[in-house]
Amino acid sequence: MKGLVFCPPIRFHSAGPNSFDSAYPMRLSRYFLPILRDTPKEAEIVSHRLMLRAGMIRQEASGIYAFLPLGFRVLQKVCQIVREEQDRAGAIELLMPTIQSAELWRESGRYEAYGKEMLRIKDRHERDMLYGPTNEEMITEIFRAYVRSYKDLPLNLYHVQWKFRDEIRPRFGLMRGREFLMKDAYSFDIDQEGARHSYNKMFVAYLRTFARLGLKSIPMVAETGPIGGNLSHEFIILADTGESEVFCHRDYLGFEVPGDNVKFDDAAELEAIVGKWTSLYAATSEKHDAKAFAALAADKQVSARGIEVGHIFYFGTKYSAPMKAVVAGPDGTERPVHMGSYGIGPSRLVAAIIEASHDEAGIKWPEAVAPFKVAILNLKQGGADTDPACEQLYQALSAKGVDVLYHDLDERPGAKFATADLIGLPWQVLVGPRGLAEGKVEVKRRSDGSRELMSPADAIERLAT
RNA sequence: CGGGGCAUAGCGCAGUCUGGUAGCGCGUCUGGUUUGGGACCAGAAGGUCGCAGGUUCGAAUCCUGCUGCCCCGACCA
């Protein structure tokens, strides 16, 4: 806010798994972190409350939010993980526009079908345009413009872009906004069998993505809604404050998530994984079968609340047929491609992660998405011993590539503790005169509140790994 | 879209019934004392009371219209 200390490295995704190793440290005195002490009255659910209080977001209109620096960092980290797992599964990133022409949607028949949820606008020439609620039509248009042969398949294209759905009633902050960020992927295959494999790739990628975000997700049989199709799963995470009622077999909670050695091109291997993850009962209230659920052993029945964080569909030729996205098969005859689409809402995920991980004092970020890994709290700003000790920690951790936020404001210790707990960085290093007198700092873990006294050198060692 | 509610300083609120030109707490700024769980003292800044009309000598307050936002329900990543 008061000028950049240095230019942080621009971080393109797809730079490989270590692309986040570059340090991006910050001193609070130079940062823009508008913490609120009181909860704005409009915020009802905990994630909304905490995001406003922690200075992560600001509402600009009903269901429309600006991401402030702290919130933006989390959003970027979520997107980064989403992208890495999409890339790993063989999807290819591109970027489509937010504004679309109504023409495309008339081709698929959805311009009329979509209803008032679609934000319709006119340009200066009175042409019908719309702010995209999804991109099946557009990706199909792109596909049909270039792809003619089965030899170019399978293909999975994805992008991460803002979407707009004019919800009847936006609520719960980012959880049900009208504008939201979405990763949507679209797969193209020559036949249903290929499409099934593509579907399974995304299924496994989703399991991995949510696990890396620190979430336990459970795939559940789902309604297909306006996207259409007949094969669909919602990925649900359990959280007390979740919007929907869900029912599942307890064993899902202990299932092992596929490792990063999964061979995505091995159809049989993926089919086995997906088979396992769909073998037990799991359904949202819309698809709930009370009898089937009751048949489970009592100690295996989990009835809980959940948040939908991802949704995958196979819908065959629903768009390719009317829009004439056809490819020639080995026999030379043309046929419409089989498609699927696969969505994840990163902006909703930010809220969902908070719903799943917080306490009375504030957020508890999983390390993978924390806006910073470490907070250094100088408990006596201006102290002859605390200032240099903090400075050294800050420099050393930065040099080792640790995202660190140095709380260097002239505030009382209590206020710093409250701020640190609120913004929920995984680690706090408490540097005060009391500890330094014995050559120690205190390392506190936010997730369980545990603390440990150690030398600054040990603290650096501990936090840099 | 139906039902309820709110709109006064950055945030949380009082004042509206009973009209007389705006107040409290937190935050912000200045100076000082403080410093291991949201410190204290002194001083200061900050508001066309959501907007537009109307009634009145006079409107945050009464009347009319509009807008925005929140909550409950049906829809959704």
Side-chain angles (χ1 to χ4, degrees):
Chain A
M1 182 183 182
K2 292 167 187 159
L4 283 173
V5 188
F6 66 98
C7 281
I10 294 170
R11 292 189 283 196
F12 293 105
H13 85 286
S14 300
N18 297 321
S19 61
F20 263 103
D21 280 0
S22 49
Y24 188 4
M26 186 57 72
R27 323 173 93 91
L28 194 47
S29 60
R30 311 272 181 108
Y31 202 44
F32 181 66
L33 185 68
I35 298 273
L36 302 180
R37 195 159 172 168
D38 300 308
T39 303
K41 65 176 174 191
E42 72 267 18
E44 200 68 8
I45 63 163
V46 64
S47 61
H48 191 195
R49 233 166 33 222
L50 290 174
M51 273 187 278
L52 290 168
R53 288 236 293 131
M56 294 177 63
I57 54 170
R58 169 152 187 95
Q59 180 168 337
E60 293 299 339
S62 180
I64 299 177
Y65 295 84
F67 278 80
L68 304 182
L70 195 77
F72 186 48
R73 287 182 70 114
V74 177
L75 187 63
Q76 283 181 306
K77 291 206 169 183
V78 170
C79 288
Q80 175 70 14
I81 289 172
V82 168
R83 286 178 163 124
E84 284 174 10
E85 293 304 325
Q86 290 294 294
D87 294 348
R88 187 196 304 278
I92 303 164
E93 187 171 11
L94 46 62
L95 183 59
M96 291 178 271
T98 55
I99 306 289
Q100 306 184 25
S101 161
E103 301 258 317
L104 271 180
W105 288 66
R106 293 202 172 97
E107 278 192 55
S108 72
R110 280 209 295 181
Y111 190 68
E112 284 71 31
Y114 216 91
K116 290 191 177 150
E117 246 186 42
M118 183 153 74
L119 179 64
R120 295 151 204 264
I121 46 190
K122 278 188 195 295
D123 69 10
R124 67 194 300 162
H125 303 293
E126 293 289 304
R127 282 187 289 243
D128 290 322
M129 311 292 285
L130 58 99
Y131 195 116
T134 178
N135 285 67
E136 278 83 7
E137 283 79 359
M138 188 173 284
I139 199 74
T140 303
E141 190 282 325
I142 291 172
F143 177 90
R144 75 180 175 194
Y146 303 109
V147 181
R148 289 279 117 83
S149 160
Y150 75 98
K151 292 178 186 168
D152 295 323
L153 303 182
L155 183 64
N156 185 325
L157 299 172
Y158 78 97
H159 76 337
V160 180
Q161 177 63 287
W162 294 100
K163 299 281 185 294
F164 193 93
R165 292 183 190 170
D166 203 356
E167 298 282 341
I168 296 169
R169 181 151 90 89
R171 59 184 125 176
F172 304 143
L174 289 189
M175 202 68 92
R176 178 168 309 299
R178 296 146 91 199
E179 188 180 58
F180 56 96
L181 196 61
M182 182 155 123
K183 182 289 299 179
D184 39 328
Y186 303 90
S187 65
F188 303 88
D189 286 274
I190 189 67
D191 55 22
Q192 187 164 356
E193 189 189 344
R196 172 80 201 189
H197 184 197
S198 292
Y199 185 89
N200 289 347
K201 285 181 187 173
M202 288 292 109
F203 190 107
V204 171
Y206 276 33
L207 289 175
R208 287 187 42 79
T209 300
F210 299 126
R212 283 189 60 191
L213 292 170
L215 299 168
K216 194 157 288 252
S217 70
I218 301 170
M220 300 194 181
V221 176
E223 297 281 356
T224 52
I227 310 284
N230 52 23
L231 175 59
S232 175
H233 287 91
E234 285 180 10
F235 286 75
I236 302 278
I237 63 162
L238 302 184
D240 295 339
T241 48
E243 296 189 82
S244 37
E245 236 186 323
V246 299
F247 306 86
C248 71
H249 194 290
R250 184 169 303 280
D251 288 0
Y252 273 121
L253 301 173
F255 274 12
E256 199 178 325
V257 171
D260 52 15
N261 55 348
V262 172
K263 292 189 282 297
F264 281 92
D265 290 329
D266 185 334
E269 179 179 333
L270 292 196
E271 188 62 36
I273 295 171
V274 172
K276 179 185 172 194
W277 280 86
T278 52
S279 60
L280 302 175
Y281 187 82
T284 59
S285 53
E286 300 89 53
K287 287 274 188 177
H288 185 46
D289 177 347
K291 274 190 239 94
F293 185 63
L296 303 181
D299 64 331
K300 294 296 188 188
Q301 294 178 6
V302 176
S303 167
R305 303 208 62 85
I307 301 169
E308 181 185 354
V309 290
H311 203 155
I312 61 179
F313 306 85
Y314 161 71
F315 46 72
T317 59
K318 179 179 160 97
Y319 301 95
S320 54
M323 294 184 67
K324 301 186 174 50
V326 296
V327 291
D331 58 1
T333 63
E334 291 191 329
R335 62 201 75 176
V337 283
H338 286 248
M339 295 174 57
S341 75
Y342 315 90
I344 290 181
S347 51
R348 170 183 279 191
L349 266 169
V350 174
I353 290 166
I354 295 173
E355 292 291 335
S357 180
H358 67 273
D359 61 17
E360 322 72 52
I363 303 165
K364 302 201 283 197
W365 289 118
E367 212 160 303
V369 297
F372 297 89
K373 180 178 179 182
V374 180
I376 298 173
L377 307 192
N378 186 341
L379 300 185
K380 182 168 181 173
Q381 204 66 45
D385 46 358
T386 50
D387 278 15
C390 286
E391 232 16 89
Q392 274 172 29
L393 275 168
Y394 180 64
Q395 301 294 347
L397 286 170
S398 304
K400 285 179 177 289
V402 179
D403 276 348
V404 50
L405 180 65
Y406 174 21
H407 195 325
D408 61 342
L409 299 178
D410 187 14
E411 282 181 359
R412 314 248 320 167
K416 293 195 178 185
F417 293 141
T419 297
D421 286 349
L422 174 62
I423 67 175
L425 308 188
W427 300 94
Q428 299 171 15
V429 185
L430 316 185
V431 183
R434 196 191 284 174
L436 283 182
E438 293 159 29
K440 309 270 184 171
V441 297
E442 194 169 342
V443 175
K444 175 183 164 187
R445 187 205 288 265
R446 178 68 178 92
S447 58
D448 58 9
S450 62
R451 302 145 178 269
E452 202 179 330
L453 279 171
M454 61 183 78
S455 70
D458 287 346
I460 292 163
E461 187 59 30
R462 166 76 59 89
L463 296 171
T465 50

